[in-house]
Amino acid sequence: MVRRGTFIVFEGCDRGGKTTQCKKLVEALNKKNIPAEYMNFPDRTTAVGKIINDYLKKNIELPDHAVHLLFSANRWELEPVIRKKLHSGVSLVVDRYSYSGVAFSAAKENMDLQWCWNQEEGLPAPDAVFILNLSESASLQRGGFGEERYELTDFQAKVRSNYKLLKDPKIWKDIDADRDVESVHNEILKLFEEVHSQAVSQPIKTLKN
Ligand code: FDM
């Protein structure tokens, strides 16, 4: 019987090193002959992802609820792929997922956190969420924000507090991202091994309300 892959999600505010750490983890796992692949949300290459990209680049305007549904639809578009890969024994290292979806959308005026979360119900649940926590001072040292929508200090502060509301202690692993890349990577690798040894023999869980 093929043991299923482990589903890991990386979350956290901008500049915490999510993408670097995701890619380093995949590389390290493949070196150890553990099949693993990188995925990221939003996936801007799909039909829905192209609209999201235009929105983030400020080429188009859309109502907040509609945008939230598009980000969610982007995950639903790839839901069959996620399940198929996990069932075939491939571990997935995913750069942002439903937690970003809810934390960012609910940081806007008049957006209800529970309504945002409802759209995620039924998606595959990760075995662990690695949240890269970057302090304000370390964040300032890592340079300025880019030009995309949401890249604003006040908005990111709201996102940060929304993440705290979404924290599920059973699967949430807080990681101090102020440290150098290798130290963070070594901790992540250790955490992955603990999660992987349990997850492979369990069914894939589903996000619930
Ligand atoms: N973002 C990301 C959302 O607002 N909702 C979502 O569901 C997801 C996955 O999109 F500001 C935001 C987070 C970020 C922006 O993400 C683009 P990347 O990781 O910078 O491409």
Side-chain angles (χ1 to χ4, degrees):
M1 197 186 86
V2 181
R3 281 147 69 89
R4 75 155 168 102
T6 299
F7 181 8
I8 302 288
V9 165
F10 277 71
E11 288 285 2
C13 285
D14 282 6
R15 291 176 294 179
K18 279 189 300 301
T19 307
T20 304
Q21 291 298 339
C22 283
K23 292 192 168 164
K24 273 183 84 70
L25 177 59
V26 170
E27 205 177 300
L29 296 179
N30 288 337
K31 269 201 196 130
K32 288 170 182 268
N33 289 323
I34 300 174
E37 289 181 21
Y38 171 80
M39 284 179 86
N40 70 310
F41 288 106
D43 179 336
R44 303 185 195 214
T45 65
T46 68
V48 173
K50 290 190 175 107
I51 309 175
I52 294 174
N53 183 53
D54 271 336
Y55 175 78
L56 289 170
K57 298 259 183 264
K58 302 180 193 160
N59 297 333
I60 55 169
E61 293 299 323
L62 287 163
D64 295 333
H65 288 84
V67 168
H68 181 74
L69 292 175
L70 290 174
F71 274 109
S72 184
N74 190 226
R75 283 181 280 282
W76 282 104
E77 271 183 305
L78 289 154
E79 185 252 1
V81 176
I82 295 176
R83 288 194 190 275
K84 195 167 164 209
K85 285 196 189 283
L86 292 174
H87 282 307
S88 72
V90 176
S91 289
L92 294 177
V93 176
V94 180
D95 196 344
R96 297 191 189 280
Y97 195 56
S98 303
Y99 311 92
S100 278
V102 177
F104 278 76
S105 288
K108 296 173 175 178
E109 294 284 316
N110 304 320
M111 289 292 287
D112 179 66
L113 189 127
Q114 186 59 52
W115 182 88
C116 293
W117 185 258
N118 289 347
Q119 320 309 324
E120 308 300 312
E121 201 186 329
L123 283 169
D127 296 299
V129 180
F130 293 169
I131 178 133
L132 298 184
N133 296 310
L134 191 67
S135 66
E136 291 285 353
S137 58
S139 167
L140 288 171
Q141 280 170 15
R142 291 190 188 181
F145 284 118
E147 295 292 307
E148 285 203 337
R149 214 181 279 269
Y150 305 149
E151 295 187 321
L152 302 161
T153 310
D154 288 356
F155 191 80
Q156 298 272 330
K158 282 194 205 144
V159 171
R160 205 184 290 250
S161 62
N162 282 343
Y163 272 129
K164 294 201 180 107
L165 301 173
L166 300 171
K167 188 167 175 167
D168 172 354
K170 287 198 288 297
I171 57 166
W172 208 267
K173 314 276 177 196
D174 278 293
I175 295 166
D176 171 7
D178 283 9
R179 297 166 300 161
D180 64 279
V181 173
E182 287 307 319
S183 311
V184 177
H185 171 65
N186 290 335
E187 185 184 349
I188 286 171
L189 203 50
K190 250 182 37 218
L191 284 172
F192 176 88
E193 279 160 6
E194 286 166 23
V195 176
H196 187 61
S197 64
Q198 302 283 315
V200 288
S201 54
Q202 290 168 10
I204 300 166
K205 294 187 190 70
T206 291
L207 290 182
K208 290 197 179 59
N209 250 326

